[in-house]
Amino acid sequence: MASRRVPLVLLACGSFNPITNQHMRLFELARDHMHSTGQYQVVGGIVSPVSDGYGKQGLVLAKHRIAMAKLALRSSNWVTVDEWESQQPDWTETAVTMRYHYGRILKEYEQSTGTHNDSSGNTVALSSSCPQLKLLCGADFLETFKIPGLWQDDHVEEVVAHFGLVCVSRGGLEPERAVHVSDTLSRHRGNIFLVREWVRNETSATEVRRALRRDLSVKYLIPDSVIEYIHQHNLYTQDSERINKGTVLRPLVKQAVESLDD
């Protein structure tokens, strides 16, 4: 008899400017790890690109980032692209995005059968408890918690304590140390799952954009369908890299305004 597992959905938030093979690889690594715990059954993954209001330099329009992500994930039978966050008129805090998706997941779960077919076609019994949603990220994401003014303290607490993190190692970063030095992360370390990536992949969207601006090949770094889309729409040029140049990231502006209002 199959053991009962908690159904789990993995959510990745970010620019996806553009989506890379490494972005998609994070989902596969995280799913394997969470299954290996014997506690969870990953039933879905969500890619949630940030809205244009984020203000990051070189950020092309959300409609393009959404289109590229959908093209890239055509090959996945469990990870989807959600447009809600990208369609918001202003930048949306990660905690708010997680609340939205969790509410939708709970509604969908009420209509589910209570079982899930794994990648081998076997029926796995799910627990009667509510499904969980965890934030999927790379090790560099943990470093953002330390940037002054980027996160609200109560949002960090909510994301880590209420939802949880699945963090995949990246390069020479030490996610274990990031957890250790943060009182909040350390306090909730039981809800932070650190995944070791033994097959190193250092692909970054920043390097992909740089290569494209210099008319260099990015084949095997991003899917061919995404490369075709980029060329078709003339994305990631010297001009596009000037988008939002000199603009302060919206999270920092929003936090500063809220601090003044307090």
Side-chain angles (χ1 to χ4, degrees):
M1 180 176 179
S3 61
R4 301 180 71 83
R5 294 174 178 240
V6 176
L8 175 63
V9 177
L10 300 170
L11 170 68
C13 298
S15 299
F16 300 102
N17 187 40
I19 193 169
T20 69
N21 290 342
Q22 174 65 359
H23 285 136
M24 296 182 288
R25 183 65 184 152
L26 293 181
F27 280 94
E28 298 296 323
L29 291 164
R31 182 172 67 165
D32 285 345
H33 180 84
M34 298 310 284
H35 285 176
S36 72
T37 67
Q39 301 174 8
Y40 298 96
Q41 182 67 38
V42 176
V43 296
I46 303 170
V47 167
S48 180
V50 73
S51 76
D52 295 334
Y54 186 50
K56 188 175 183 179
Q57 182 173 345
L59 186 68
V60 302
L61 292 175
K63 67 177 183 179
H64 292 310
R65 291 180 285 113
I66 288 287
M68 289 185 285
K70 287 183 175 180
L71 286 171
L73 288 165
R74 279 181 177 176
S75 61
S76 177
N77 62 1
W78 68 282
V79 184
T80 59
V81 182
D82 189 272
E83 300 183 30
W84 180 82
E85 182 182 359
S86 69
Q87 293 176 341
Q88 302 309 301
D90 195 1
W91 166 78
T92 306
E93 293 90 340
T94 300
V96 175
T97 299
M98 296 195 77
R99 291 175 208 156
Y100 165 79
H101 284 291
Y102 192 53
R104 184 174 57 79
I105 289 167
L106 290 181
K107 288 181 180 178
E108 293 177 356
Y109 187 71
E110 291 173 356
Q111 304 171 3
S112 70
T113 62
T115 60
H116 172 73
N117 291 330
D118 63 17
S119 58
S120 301
N122 300 317
T123 298
V124 179
L126 302 178
S127 73
S128 58
S129 61
C130 292
Q132 291 189 18
L133 173 70
K134 294 190 183 300
L135 187 64
L136 172 62
C137 63
D140 51 339
F141 180 85
L142 295 184
E143 302 298 318
T144 68
F145 288 138
K146 298 187 296 186
I147 300 176
L150 188 62
W151 283 85
Q152 296 180 34
D153 291 342
D154 59 335
H155 281 190
V156 176
E157 184 81 21
E158 180 179 0
V159 168
V160 180
H162 180 63
F163 294 108
L165 294 174
V166 181
C167 180
V168 181
S169 64
R170 185 174 183 179
L173 295 174
E174 300 178 327
E176 295 88 354
R177 178 165 180 76
V179 173
H180 171 72
V181 299
S182 166
D183 289 342
T184 301
L185 298 184
S186 182
R187 186 165 60 252
H188 300 292
R189 63 172 61 249
N191 208 21
I192 300 175
F193 297 84
L194 302 180
V195 183
R196 174 63 61 184
E197 181 184 19
W198 295 108
V199 181
R200 296 280 289 272
N201 185 336
E202 302 303 324
T203 303
S204 73
T206 300
E207 290 300 327
V208 168
R209 293 197 306 275
R210 181 176 289 114
L212 287 166
R213 290 198 307 274
R214 298 174 181 176
D215 199 27
L216 300 175
S217 172
V218 292
K219 192 174 181 65
Y220 307 121
L221 298 178
I222 59 178
D224 288 344
S225 58
V226 175
I227 295 175
E228 293 171 7
Y229 185 94
I230 289 171
H231 290 322
Q232 179 184 352
H233 294 274
N234 194 32
L235 303 179
Y236 304 120
T237 63
Q238 296 292 343
D239 287 338
S240 71
E241 194 61 24
R242 297 189 188 98
I243 295 173
N244 296 323
K245 185 175 181 179
T247 301
V248 179
L249 285 180
R250 181 57 180 158
L252 297 176
V253 174
K254 199 169 183 179
Q255 285 277 60
V257 171
E258 290 175 354
S259 296
L260 291 174
D261 291 339
D262 289 343

